[in-house]
Amino acid sequence: MRSLLLLACALSRVHAFYLPGVAPKEYLENEKVEVKVNKLSSSVTQLPYDYYNLAFCKPKDLRNSVENLGEVLHGSMIQNSPYELYMQKSDFKVLCKVDLNQKQVNDFAKRIKNDYRVQMIMDNLPAATRMISELPDGKTITMYDRGYRLGFVGAKEFPGTKPGVPYLNNHLRFIIKYHRDEAFVGSRIVGFEVEAFSVRHTYKGIWGKNAQLTSVPLSPDLPPQPITEPGEYIFTYDVTWEESDIHWASRWDLYLYMGDDQIHWFSILNSLAIVLLLTGIVAMIMVRTLRRDLSRYNAEEKEELQEESGWKLVHADVLRPPPLPLLLSSTVGTGMQLLGMSCISIFCAMLGFLSPANRGGLLTATLLLFVLMGVPAGYFASRTYKSLRGAQWTTLTLLTALLYPGIVLFIFFILNFFIWGRGSSAAVPFGTIVALISMWFCISVPLVFLGAFFGFKQPLKDPPVRTNEIPRQIPLQAWYMGEAFTMLIGGILPFGAVFIELFFIMSSVWLQRFYYVFGFLALVVTILILTCAQISIVLCYFQLCNEDYNWWWRSFLNSGSAGLYLLGYSLVYFFTQLDMVGFVPCMVYFAYMAIASLLFAITTGTVGFLSSWWFVLKIYSAVKVD
């Protein structure tokens, strides 16, 4: 779907329209190009920090850029920097000399040992380190890794270093690619690469008067800069400009490269195989088995059916309200809220409206959509509850509006307290917390009440069968029809349809990578919905055939158990892909993955429940009942 983004960028050249955050800018020769600093991030600790949390060189006038809600929640703090770059002007400059005390040295050393990377921005393009990756067919491809390493820890394989000693990357080489075209005046920046070096700078003379570096020109023979003792540390940089054939609309391609596309297609084909298998089973049930059952049931006399067994015999109990109808109805409402939010977000991202150039846009849009989806949440919750003969509509509406968002926000606030205690920029400010709560109570809750009002006001259709006052006794069930076993089977297929794509999503979240293959994701989500619907229908039919009419919660849990598989996969991912250290980072990871698993279970369970409900109404409306 990247072609849509390219088309939009091309149209923006003639000023027809442009997508948010992707407007091109032309620079004239020797025009100043601003470099902004973003944050320090690490996949080891998952705790970002403000760039100036460390004693870097600061500009005289420190300014903060305006950030949206998504950037604040990501822990971004975008500020100006003292780097001075001018279009097409290559140069070598001394940035500054800082005198670090022992605490500042220890802070640098700690961040280096935790593998922190420095994030910068130029012309809305993040700084990146070039990597050469080899594909399975032997070809090589150039990829970008976000930011540059703050430093490294000495080892035997690094000549001139001592094992275990941290070394600071105090010299940066900016390699900036620009593109020129007859269609516009000036040059457009299409690449922002950074090469970081550790150099123990030496100088002669008096600093600030006649000092002159003796470590220039740079060479591999120069010793690296250890950061273990307080003292003077000199920061330098040089700039190289390279003209490039890359067009401005394609400058994000190397950032967005997600590996071999064959892996994604394999995921799609694997999921399609599951869907086709389930479609065949459902078709066999609907076309052959159900047609045969209906013909027999509608033709035979009531006396003859007394000795029969099957799903028709529970017609007087199949619509009996389940236990905890309030909880079930509110959960279904929240599931529809999440499903609507996810589908619209993916669709907008697939069209390019939530491009990574618009930093924080995806998270901001997702939160706003969740708030606005309060109407379908209230509507579906009220319709479900009304069908279950519920009368406590105020309690139902409040439960839908407050239960699951309250659980998520409570966990979020607890985590925010620990993150704030570590001094991380990921700690959400008080003003943002007030804004989130205001969005919840001032927008989401009223919209849930509005949806519930329309849901309760709309009349229900007459049920296809009547419910007896005395419930029918359920016969003893076989072990393979138990709730635990059906959940085990029902959850593994939906999870199996998405787990390959899930690996890329989790890598983008926890390994600081970009994810932008939303075209693939849209297909996977579509297959996931079909899989949840079909597996729930199949298991519901088998359950009714065994004269077990308690299908309401079972149909939800059968497909919703995919959330348990996601939680289990998060454990596997933690031990095989991540190198987290510390109590707070591990707590943040497992808490967020627990939230993700809960929301995934609610969404998949809702799809399974509504599909089974539709199936039950269809089959029993076709039966002649005395």
Side-chain angles (χ1 to χ4, degrees), residues 382-383 385-386 390 393 396-397 451-459:
S382 61
R383 295 292 292 170
Y385 190 57
K386 189 175 182 180
W393 73 272
L396 180 276
T397 308
F453 171 77
F454 287 112
F456 279 110
K457 187 177 180 181
Q458 185 175 352

Side-chain angles (χ1 to χ4, degrees), residues 250-311:
S250 303
R251 66 179 188 164
W252 277 89
D253 286 359
L254 292 177
Y255 293 90
L256 304 180
Y257 181 76
M258 294 296 298
D260 194 352
D261 286 344
Q262 292 181 359
I263 299 177
H264 295 276
W265 283 118
F266 173 77
S267 173
I268 299 295
L269 294 176
N270 175 65
S271 303
L272 281 176
I274 296 175
V275 169
L276 291 176
L277 174 63
L278 289 175
T279 302
I281 297 175
V282 172
M284 183 179 65
I285 292 174
M286 297 292 288
V287 177
R288 298 185 58 186
T289 309
L290 276 178
R291 181 177 295 177
R292 184 187 64 219
D293 289 349
L294 288 171
S295 299
R296 187 176 76 251
Y297 289 147
N298 291 336
E300 292 177 341
E301 297 296 332
K302 182 177 180 181
E303 291 78 9
E304 296 175 353
L305 286 175
Q306 296 299 324
E307 299 179 359
E308 294 289 338
S309 62
W311 54 271

Side-chain angles (χ1 to χ4, degrees), residues 97-108:
K97 177 181 72 68
V98 294
D99 294 318
L100 302 181
N101 56 37
Q102 189 62 54
K103 180 182 181 305
Q104 293 170 330
V105 167
N106 292 340
D107 289 342
F108 269 104

Side-chain angles (χ1 to χ4, degrees), residues 328 331-332 335 338 404 483-496 498 528-529 531-537 539 551-568 593-612:
L328 178 61
T331 304
V332 170
L338 292 169
Y404 292 107
E483 185 175 348
F485 186 79
T486 56
M487 286 177 60
L488 186 68
I489 298 299
I492 194 171
L493 292 179
F495 176 77
V498 300
L528 172 65
I529 293 174
T531 305
C532 291
Q534 293 180 349
I535 191 63
S536 295
I537 289 174
L539 293 177
W551 62 271
W552 300 90
W553 275 108
R554 288 279 292 273
S555 64
F556 183 92
L557 296 175
N558 284 339
S559 56
S561 59
L564 295 177
Y565 284 93
L566 174 57
L567 186 62
M593 289 309 303
I595 292 175
S597 301
L598 173 64
L599 301 183
F600 187 64
I602 293 173
T603 306
T604 53
T606 298
V607 173
F609 170 79
L610 294 177
S611 303
S612 298

